[in-house]
Amino acid sequence: FLGGCSFDEHYSNCGYSVALGTNGFTWEQINTWEKPTMDPAVPTGSFMMVNSSGRASGQKAHLLLPTLKENDTHCIDFHYYLSSRDRSSPGSLNVYVKVNGGPQGNPIWNVSGVVTEGWVKAELAISTFWPHFYQVIFESVSLKGHPGYIAVDEVRVLAHPCRKAPHFLRLQNVEVNVGQNATFQCIAGGKWSQHDKLWLQVKRNCACVPKRFWDSLAIQIHSGNLILLTKLSQASRDFFLSTEPPTPIAPPELLAVGATYLWIKPNANSIIGDGPIILKEVEYRTTTGNWAETHIVDSPNYKLWHLDPDVEYEIRVLLTRPGEGGTGPPGPPLTTRTKCADPVHGPQNVEVVDIRSRQLTLQWEPFGYAVTRCHSYNLTVQYQYVFNQQKFEAEELIQTSSHYTLRGLRPFMTIRLRLALSNPEGKMESEELVVQTEEDVPGPVPLESIQGGPFEEKIYVQWKPPNETNGIITLYEV
């Protein structure tokens, strides 16, 4: 979790800002806990909202997030709410991304023509990284004759890929002449369905809608839509030379390691074979998988991103010289492993399924690598209780996958416990449970406490309670 705001405080404390719309149409911070409302169309809680009632069509209000400079794979998620008294759509909600302070461009996400049944969660998978920066802008657009409310809450920047929204990988640089076709390899990874449209904004009036995760994109380049126009040189066809395609002598050099990225230096200066080298590519795969990806390298160092944490990768470099068949075999491999990442969340749905006097059994929702984000992790139970005005704390390592019996407890004792999931990079805990063990047979009355004396017609006896009552004493027998 990198940051976010639930609008429980004033939005300026969260780094957000509001741009005043036309005729006072703007975002407002609403807190129905402090100022209740009788309007059933207004949700309960603290959030940012615009009121589209009595507005002309097309009025806009903007909510600006702080500028983000991220260096790793991340995801932005938020909740939105559209409502009205007559169940008609109050307008539309658009999301824009301004990169490096540039133009606002087209919306990367929008919703319109609907009312929601409560709060709905949405995700933004943005692949813009340092040294570049970007700003997310929420825009509400009013619709005449459709009074209602548009609200946003729980905007978060998460340090892991989106659960559903696909992430686009970087496109290689392509130089072509005016009027020619430029072919890009458009790669996206994520839980994408056939009904989703994936829009990749290359430059104005250009879009990519791949039918699957691997696809090619042909864009007609017109005058003014390409920043750099360079005439491509043509290889000579007058001579036939018997040449050997180049291959690197040394493996790539590892520069930095993260949970989802690897920085490498291709090390392509020393080669076997013939040049000149016109193309460098990096081929990488997991050491246990049967797939491989190839990326074009156009800089001295290269960053492989959107990798999986705690996974071993094999990386090789491919070199190409001019002419058909000019690509040599892959060079020696660099074998390295990414770091572990913080667990996504702690154990969930933890509950006590059996309580006895000196033990209790816990059960929780099973989890795997998608949650631990590391193949080496520990699951522990931490518990504490107070006995004879003295606090006792303990922790036990759990070896089972979905249940555990905690033994050696004291009867009739209030115990506070939680589960903790940890790996070398971090720890996430479950919510705390407070339970009480069952009663047990009380311990013996201390012999040294029994006192008494005889009378003519009776014997007087007194004693102290057991040192371990193990519950509430309801009866003594003599």
Side-chain angles (χ1 to χ4, degrees), residues 13-69:
N13 296 336
C14 305
Y16 294 74
S17 60
V18 169
L20 186 63
T22 56
N23 298 325
F25 184 55
T26 186
W27 290 88
E28 296 179 322
Q29 184 180 11
I30 304 298
N31 189 332
T32 60
W33 305 118
E34 297 178 357
K35 295 181 179 180
T37 177
M38 300 302 293
D39 192 338
V42 178
T44 302
S46 179
F47 44 87
M48 299 298 293
M49 186 183 76
V50 292
N51 185 349
S52 64
S53 303
R55 298 293 177 180
S57 294
Q59 287 190 270
K60 300 177 181 180
H62 293 120
L63 176 65
L64 286 66
L65 271 66
T67 300
L68 296 175
K69 297 180 180 180

Side-chain angles (χ1 to χ4, degrees), residues 172-192:
Q172 75 273 19
N173 295 331
V174 176
E175 298 177 351
V176 295
N177 292 322
V178 173
Q180 300 299 312
N181 289 335
T183 300
F184 299 85
Q185 193 175 50
C186 182
I187 308 169
K191 295 182 179 179
W192 176 74

Side-chain angles (χ1 to χ4, degrees), residues 53-103:
S53 303
R55 298 293 177 180
S57 294
Q59 287 190 270
K60 300 177 181 180
H62 293 120
L63 176 65
L64 286 66
L65 271 66
T67 300
L68 296 175
K69 297 180 180 180
E70 304 302 330
N71 195 33
D72 206 346
T73 304
H74 60 283
C75 179
I76 296 179
D77 66 4
F78 62 93
H79 288 79
Y80 65 93
Y81 186 99
L82 282 78
S83 66
S84 67
R85 300 184 189 92
D86 58 2
R87 304 293 296 170
S88 64
S89 174
S92 60
L93 177 63
N94 303 319
V95 177
Y96 298 87
V97 172
K98 292 177 62 174
V99 179
N100 296 334

Side-chain angles (χ1 to χ4, degrees), residues 376-395:
S376 175
Y377 65 91
N378 288 327
L379 180 62
T380 58
V381 55
Q382 303 166 348
Y383 63 96
Q384 63 181 26
Y385 59 88
V386 178
F387 178 70
N388 287 340
Q389 298 182 347
Q390 186 176 0
K391 185 176 181 181
F392 294 86
E393 294 181 337
E395 183 177 19

Side-chain angles (χ1 to χ4, degrees), residues 96-239:
Y96 298 87
V97 172
K98 292 177 62 174
V99 179
N100 296 334
Q104 186 167 290
N106 298 322
I108 66 167
W109 180 95
N110 80 299
V111 61
S112 61
V114 298
V115 292
T116 59
E117 298 294 336
W119 290 97
V120 180
K121 183 178 179 180
E123 294 180 331
L124 305 176
I126 302 174
S127 294
T128 297
F129 303 98
W130 185 91
H132 305 289
F133 59 90
Y134 69 92
Q135 184 179 41
V136 176
I137 301 173
F138 290 90
E139 178 188 73
S140 60
V141 183
S142 62
L143 191 60
K144 184 178 181 181
H146 291 262
Y149 304 97
I150 302 175
V152 172
D153 197 7
E154 293 291 341
V155 183
R156 304 186 302 170
V157 183
L158 305 173
H160 56 73
C162 293
R163 300 298 182 130
K164 181 181 178 183
H167 288 260
F168 279 104
L169 300 187
R170 182 175 55 190
L171 298 178
Q172 75 273 19
N173 295 331
V174 176
E175 298 177 351
V176 295
N177 292 322
V178 173
Q180 300 299 312
N181 289 335
T183 300
F184 299 85
Q185 193 175 50
C186 182
I187 308 169
K191 295 182 179 179
W192 176 74
S193 69
Q194 192 68 25
H195 304 290
D196 294 336
K197 286 187 176 181
L198 309 183
W199 295 95
L200 176 63
Q201 184 171 309
V202 180
K203 197 166 173 59
R204 65 177 184 269
N205 303 324
C206 299
C208 168
V209 188
K211 297 179 181 179
R212 54 188 182 275
F213 288 146
W214 290 80
D215 207 346
S216 62
L217 161 69
I219 300 176
Q220 185 73 24
I221 302 300
H222 299 284
S223 177
N225 279 352
L226 192 64
I227 298 176
L228 178 61
L229 301 178
T230 303
K231 186 175 181 179
L232 301 179
S233 60
Q234 184 178 11
S236 174
R237 292 173 293 179
D238 297 334
F239 301 95

Side-chain angles (χ1 to χ4, degrees), residues 327-347:
T327 301
L334 165 66
T335 303
T336 186
R337 179 179 291 271
T338 53
K339 290 183 177 180
C340 292
D342 290 339
V344 176
H345 54 70

